[in-house]
Amino acid sequence: MMKIKTLKAFVLAGMTCFAGSVQAQNLTLASGPSGGTWYPLGAALAKIIEDEIPGTRVSVVNGVTVANILGTNAGQYDLALSLSTSNVDAIEGVGDSFPAKQDNIRGIVGFYPAPYQMAVSADSDIQTISDFSGKVINPGVVGGATDVLTHAILDLNGLSYDDMDRVERLSYADASMQLKDGHLDVFCGILSVPSGAITEAALGSGVRLIPMDEESISKLKEKNDGYISVEIPGGTYKGQDEPVPAIGMNNVLIANADLDADLVEKITRAIVENAEKLHAVNAALNNFGPDTAANGIGAELHPGAAAYFGQQ
């Protein structure tokens, strides 16, 4: 009798183990380039999801906004960090980056606003965007959100990349070093405030931020309602004493529309209810929580996220 009971217990244990393995979920989360704010955020999100949802494993990969959206829409990524403005463009199929409507992306949470920042050395002769002509600028990787927005801003000011002396494609970390060493004239980036990369560049002789004029801000907001006006406080960086007007957008998490709704509801709950763990990742996340998480995503909520937020 003991042998039979032991055998039954073994079989039941094996069945339980098998059921657990069936429920296990491997996910891919596209974050951002090293040196930026998205990479550590992606790692923190992965840890929260794995800790809160047993059997879930999250692989974090480097990415950039446009590629993250395209990859999520195609099912290459389950989850991805993105920007509210880029989501609007993607869903509408607007611009060279999105020749077709990206119908398979859905929103999960909105994290924090980030302005487009244009940093130059404190002693630079560059005062306005018009002064970029003949300079070395760094709009980052081709097709990234910074690249797309730089194109648009230059166009509003009667310029293009052809007017530059050179266009670099550096990571934020490398661009920071190049600006500090005098090999780069303009550091461009959609970054939280304060940006670690710009703070690092300012450790030399300091930096200044080039302001966005109100007309350019208004025109960009007319084209895409995901944009917001942002003021970067004076004293944010060494050498930058006055507040600087900028254009900004919200940093968000999106998912493939086909991702299981129950799983997405659990992911949403895990992230929102562990908001304090994200506050330590970046000061810009200090205001993230249940009251802000469903706002400013630029995309329809995933049914799982909608279920959590009670917006079915």
Side-chain angles (χ1 to χ4, degrees):
M1 182 68 68
M2 287 296 294
K3 288 184 178 180
I4 294 175
K5 287 183 178 180
T6 302
L7 177 61
K8 289 174 68 177
F10 177 78
V11 171
L12 287 172
M15 291 174 65
T16 301
C17 180
F18 177 75
S21 67
V22 169
Q23 295 172 1
Q25 181 75 53
N26 295 318
L27 301 171
T28 301
L29 190 160
S31 62
S34 58
T37 53
W38 279 4
Y39 191 75
L41 174 57
L45 292 172
K47 180 167 175 40
I48 288 173
I49 294 169
E50 291 182 348
D51 288 347
E52 297 296 320
I53 308 175
T56 302
R57 295 292 176 265
V58 183
S59 299
V60 180
V61 299
N62 292 93
V64 293
T65 306
V66 173
N68 286 3
I69 291 173
L70 295 173
T72 302
N73 185 76
Q76 179 183 357
Y77 308 129
D78 301 293
L79 306 166
L81 291 168
S82 183
L83 294 168
S84 56
T85 48
S86 298
N87 291 343
V88 171
D89 284 343
I91 291 168
E92 295 178 354
V94 173
D96 295 337
S97 299
F98 304 111
K101 293 182 178 181
Q102 306 297 300
D103 296 325
N104 293 326
I105 64 169
R106 298 290 185 271
I108 296 185
V109 296
F111 292 113
Y112 61 92
Y116 175 82
Q117 301 179 62
M118 301 172 284
V120 301
S121 297
D123 58 359
S124 171
D125 60 352
I126 300 173
Q127 301 296 326
T128 68
I129 295 170
S130 297
D131 296 329
F132 289 3
S133 180
K135 304 298 184 180
V136 181
I137 69 169
N138 181 68
V141 297
V142 175
T146 299
D147 182 42
V148 172
L149 185 51
T150 301
H151 268 293
I153 290 172
L154 289 177
D155 184 61
L156 287 173
N157 287 270
L159 297 172
S160 71
Y161 286 163
D162 291 338
D163 296 305
M164 306 298 113
D165 177 55
R166 191 167 71 252
V167 176
E168 295 286 7
R169 300 296 184 178
L170 305 171
S171 68
Y172 288 141
D174 289 340
S176 173
M177 185 180 301
Q178 293 291 316
L179 182 65
K180 184 166 60 175
D181 293 343
H183 301 304
L184 181 68
D185 295 316
V186 186
F187 176 117
C188 304
I190 300 170
L191 298 158
S192 60
V193 175
S195 156
I198 297 178
T199 299
E200 177 66 25
L203 293 177
S205 59
V207 299
R208 281 186 295 104
L209 297 181
I210 303 302
M212 282 280 290
D213 63 278
E214 189 59 42
E215 183 179 0
S216 294
I217 291 176
S218 296
K219 287 182 178 179
L220 287 169
K221 291 169 74 173
E222 287 174 6
K223 291 182 179 180
N224 186 313
D225 60 11
Y227 283 116
I228 56 175
S229 297
V230 180
E231 183 176 82
I232 302 171
T236 298
Y237 305 110
K238 177 185 175 182
Q240 179 247 326
D241 301 323
E242 301 296 327
V244 177
I247 193 78
M249 59 284 297
N250 207 23
N251 292 262
V252 305
L253 182 68
I254 60 174
N256 180 273
D258 295 330
L259 195 60
D260 181 75
D262 289 339
L263 176 61
V264 173
E265 184 175 358
K266 292 176 182 177
I267 290 172
T268 310
R269 177 179 292 106
I271 294 170
V272 175
E273 297 182 4
N274 287 276
E276 72 284 350
K277 294 181 179 179
L278 296 178
H279 296 171
V281 176
N282 189 317
L285 284 155
N286 286 344
N287 294 322
F288 171 69
D291 295 336
T292 66
N295 301 332
I297 297 176
E300 176 187 347
L301 283 174
H302 190 287
Y308 174 75
F309 290 120
Q311 298 179 3
Q312 291 175 295

